[in-house]
Amino acid sequence: MSLLKNPEFRLFWGAQTVSMIGTNMTRVAIPLLAAGALSATPFQMGLLQAAQTVAFLLVGLPAGVFVDRSRRRPILIVCDLLRALLMAAIVLGFLLDLVTFPALLAVTLLVGLATAFFEIAYQSYIPVVVGRDHLVEGNARLESTNAVSRLAGPTLGGGLVQLVGAVATVSVQAATHVVSALLLSRIRTPEAVPERTERRRMGAEIREGLRFVLREPVFRAITGSAATYNFFYAVSLPLVMLLLVDEMELSGTAVGVLMAVSGVGGVLGASFAGRLARRFGQVRAMWTAYLLTVPTALFIPFAESGWKSLLFAVPWFVMSFGIVVYNVGQVSIRQQLCPPELLGRMNASVRFLVWGILPLGSVTGGALGEWLGIRGALLVGGAGMSAGVLWLVLSRLRPLRDLPAPEESPSADDAPLRT
């Protein structure tokens, strides 16, 4: 039966959609609010940008322990309500003319902390709602709305700021989190309360999650490929804007159109991910999508204005398509192979390793741009992103078409490590 006929999944999908749109609106509206109403300096804008994502480094690993010790749905509801209250506090502060930049920075950091808990809990809650047999379809539909929100969220945020102002836009964001919490509160799928075993120290539980991810070969390969891709993507991303603006001398509208093709590719990738998994196998579709699409990044440094802008647009579209197919596959594999009692810590450990490397990649990209020039640094970035697939093709995943069914008994060599 299609998950579209499952009312519980529809509620969860709707909640995730509006929540992600609100989150991505925040990433545009808050900086615009700081720049316009508070006249923030470039350094302050950098601090504000970092505050939106640094939470995964600060609390990502402890959040995984907390998620494994608790039922996930209440965490999701509380995080949505907290974000709504924090957004409302920003609105009230600006209406009363009480907001300073340090206050806005602090509230943004708190919103980021709630978002970190929400995202770790939501990935751990998916198997409860859809069951392990429908993980690929469920993750594909959720990834499609992630792609749409990454495209529509900033667009809506920027458009609303232009239309009604940044403060009113933040009010809309608060409302999206309230709607998400209401939808989640209507889900009635039973969720088992984690067993009250002897409680260990948090440090020991964090180490258990990290050890599971780093020692189990399949998880190590998936995490290594994602971390490699993200590092070199972070190397490339700031240079891409310089390529489009400084080297190709494109207008702001043209830059926006070219950047938006990534969102279109992501939406199509999510819509085809399930079909590709059924046609070629879940595992094979995952690593093949990466292998066939990401190396197109090597064409980007040769883009010019005019028809040669296709050397940017086509790879940017194709890469997004392939990475979304890869993401649907790798998240589903992780959820299938991980013991339920470790889901929160596994997701937190992966997020910590894969997202924590982004700031280092950005710094490296800036240094390479100074040393090699924009196009030379982008070539390094494209080669690095392409190399991430080696983690997969050199692992035990490559010969597999699909994962063994739960009733099958893989050999000790092939069984995932249980710690």
Side-chain angles (χ1 to χ4, degrees), residues 52-212:
Q52 296 187 40
T53 56
V54 75
F56 284 96
L57 283 176
L58 297 178
V59 301
L61 294 175
V65 175
F66 182 78
V67 167
D68 278 339
R69 290 178 176 180
S70 315
R71 290 188 299 129
R72 284 74 189 250
R73 187 173 70 106
I75 295 174
L76 297 172
I77 294 172
V78 168
C79 288
D80 264 329
L81 292 177
L82 278 175
R83 289 187 288 182
L85 286 172
L86 290 165
M87 292 290 105
I90 292 175
V91 172
L92 184 61
F94 272 100
L95 291 176
L96 298 176
D97 199 24
L98 296 175
V99 175
T100 62
F101 180 80
L104 182 63
L105 186 66
V107 172
T108 301
L109 180 59
L110 291 174
V111 171
L113 293 173
T115 298
F117 275 87
F118 182 93
E119 294 200 9
I120 290 168
Y122 120 78
Q123 281 202 338
S124 304
Y125 187 53
I126 294 170
V128 175
V129 178
V130 306
R132 299 209 169 203
D133 291 342
H134 294 282
L135 283 174
V136 172
E137 181 186 355
N139 282 312
R141 296 193 183 282
L142 293 167
E143 190 63 34
S144 70
T145 52
N146 278 337
V148 169
S149 71
R150 285 192 293 269
L151 178 63
T155 304
L156 285 173
L160 282 173
V161 168
Q162 186 74 26
L163 185 64
V164 299
V167 174
T169 302
V170 174
S171 302
V172 175
Q173 294 165 229
T176 65
H177 294 304
V178 172
V179 172
S180 174
L182 289 173
L183 291 173
L184 288 167
S185 69
R186 295 180 58 195
I187 295 176
R188 295 292 178 261
T189 302
E191 183 182 5
V193 179
E195 293 183 15
R196 298 283 182 178
T197 55
E198 183 181 350
R199 195 60 60 86
R200 293 174 295 163
R201 290 184 177 180
M202 181 168 287
E205 296 197 52
I206 287 173
R207 286 193 297 274
E208 186 176 20
L210 280 170
R211 188 165 58 245
F212 179 83

